[in-house]
Amino acid sequence: MKLYSIIPAMCMMLLFVSCEKELDFKYHDIDPLTVIEAQLTPGGAKVAITYTTPMDQPMDRTHLTDAVVTLTDLTDGTVYNLHTDAEGLFVDPTPGIIGHDYRLVVERDGCRYEADATMYPPTEIESLEFNWIKMPYDYVAVFEAQFRDNKDSDGECYWVKLYRNGEIYRWSEMDDRNAVDGVCTYLTMTTRKDTDEEDDDTVLFDGDVITFTVSPISRAMHDYLEALQNDSNGPAMFVGDKCLGYFMATSPVSDSVEFHPDEIPEYK
């Protein structure tokens, strides 16, 4: 089922932007905060630990490796001690088990951080496609992805990511409020027909491969991602000493489509 009726409205919402006003902020220097980005998937556990970067300095993504990181399966009691790999990530290859509850503990420099997560099952991608939509300034290629949602319950949340030729293109959080008959629809405007008017952040060329990945997530994770989209640190996902970041346990699924502008239909 194609939910084309919502495409024009979605596009017009994306078209409108608020007025910008230049503000002069004074930033206060604070000690760097620990940032933990952790995920458990069918491919195992992966944890990145970094520091926040002061506003007046270049972004520093150096991984911190002087920590003790453990993952406990609260359902069966198994404890996994994660080790660092060549990239400075803490990893363990043991797959997460759907429905099991997990606790991640990070201990470093006298501090302790804990977070719990339940392992979510995968969803199923139904379709991926592009449509040309006529906008006042040009035709725009709208990407549409449809995937399955549990129609017998409300409140499911998802983290969706788009990759362009293997590199991240954009991402967003969403929930199942727009689901119809158990199908969620993700829409986003991508490139214009006149690529000379585009920049490198949005332009797509003939033959580009667009990969769509969707991960079921908790409401807390959804709210955290929503805060990031609004330039906020979001709700705390760890207890113990103060840190930023997240821990999620999920089963991502992906599918890809090639971008061929001459083969894309125009939405009527």
Side-chain angles (χ1 to χ4, degrees), residues 164 169 198-203 205:
R164 174 180 52 185
Y169 181 62
E198 287 284 22
D199 56 37
D200 291 339
D201 291 336
T202 55
V203 67
F205 295 111

Side-chain angles (χ1 to χ4, degrees), residues 107-174:
E107 297 176 284
R108 180 182 179 275
D109 197 24
C111 296
R112 181 183 175 93
Y113 317 96
E114 291 186 15
D116 294 349
T118 300
M119 184 74 181
Y120 283 90
T123 182
E124 180 180 347
I125 297 174
E126 294 276 293
S127 64
L128 306 177
E129 65 181 39
F130 286 94
N131 282 275
W132 287 118
I133 301 295
K134 183 68 173 72
M135 302 297 285
Y137 51 86
D138 196 2
Y139 281 91
V140 177
V142 173
F143 175 82
E144 176 188 322
Q146 295 189 322
F147 56 92
R148 302 300 302 180
D149 175 75
N150 184 0
K151 63 181 180 181
D152 295 326
S153 63
D154 296 325
E156 282 82 15
C157 299
Y158 304 93
W159 188 2
V160 298
K161 299 178 185 178
L162 278 185
Y163 295 86
R164 174 180 52 185
N165 302 321
E167 300 292 332
I168 191 67
Y169 181 62
R170 59 190 52 170
W171 63 267
S172 181
E173 78 292 336
M174 61 181 293

Side-chain angles (χ1 to χ4, degrees), residues 14-253:
L14 293 168
L15 175 64
F16 295 122
V17 295
S18 60
C19 297
E20 295 184 359
K21 181 178 180 180
E22 186 174 341
L23 300 176
D24 184 16
F25 287 103
K26 181 178 180 180
Y27 296 103
H28 300 281
D29 292 330
I30 62 172
D31 292 334
L33 290 174
T34 299
V35 181
I36 302 170
E37 298 168 283
Q39 57 181 316
L40 176 63
T41 70
K46 183 181 298 184
V47 180
I49 306 174
T50 58
Y51 272 141
T52 55
T53 303
M55 293 294 298
D56 59 350
Q57 295 182 18
M59 179 66 73
D60 183 1
R61 296 290 294 169
T62 302
H63 292 143
L64 306 176
T65 58
D66 58 340
V68 176
V69 181
T70 58
L71 181 67
T72 301
D73 185 331
L74 299 175
T75 303
D76 65 18
T78 307
V79 179
Y80 304 94
N81 296 304
L82 279 63
H83 63 276
T84 54
D85 65 4
E87 299 179 38
L89 302 173
F90 288 86
V91 298
D92 184 273
T94 307
I97 301 174
I98 293 171
H100 281 211
D101 296 321
Y102 291 87
R103 175 167 296 156
L104 178 74
V105 176
V106 175
E107 297 176 284
R108 180 182 179 275
D109 197 24
C111 296
R112 181 183 175 93
Y113 317 96
E114 291 186 15
D116 294 349
T118 300
M119 184 74 181
Y120 283 90
T123 182
E124 180 180 347
I125 297 174
E126 294 276 293
S127 64
L128 306 177
E129 65 181 39
F130 286 94
N131 282 275
W132 287 118
I133 301 295
K134 183 68 173 72
M135 302 297 285
Y137 51 86
D138 196 2
Y139 281 91
V140 177
V142 173
F143 175 82
E144 176 188 322
Q146 295 189 322
F147 56 92
R148 302 300 302 180
D149 175 75
N150 184 0
K151 63 181 180 181
D152 295 326
S153 63
D154 296 325
E156 282 82 15
C157 299
Y158 304 93
W159 188 2
V160 298
K161 299 178 185 178
L162 278 185
Y163 295 86
R164 174 180 52 185
N165 302 321
E167 300 292 332
I168 191 67
Y169 181 62
R170 59 190 52 170
W171 63 267
S172 181
E173 78 292 336
M174 61 181 293
D175 57 30
D176 61 359
R177 282 177 291 181
N178 81 340
V180 178
D181 294 332
V183 176
C184 283
T185 300
Y186 169 76
L187 293 169
T188 187
M189 298 172 70
T190 62
T191 193
R192 295 169 57 164
K193 267 192 176 180
D194 185 358
T195 56
D196 291 338
E197 296 296 324
E198 287 284 22
D199 56 37
D200 291 339
D201 291 336
T202 55
V203 67
L204 297 180
F205 295 111
D206 188 21
D208 281 351
V209 177
I210 299 299
T211 300
F212 174 77
T213 298
V214 54
S215 304
I217 57 175
S218 65
R219 172 58 65 175
M221 184 67 190
H222 171 279
D223 293 346
Y224 174 83
L225 294 172
E226 184 177 52
L228 289 185
Q229 293 275 40
N230 293 314
D231 298 323
S232 169
N233 290 330
M237 295 194 68
F238 285 83
V239 298
D241 292 289
K242 185 176 182 179
C243 71
L244 304 178
Y246 64 86
F247 171 46
M248 68 175 188
T250 187
S251 306
V253 291

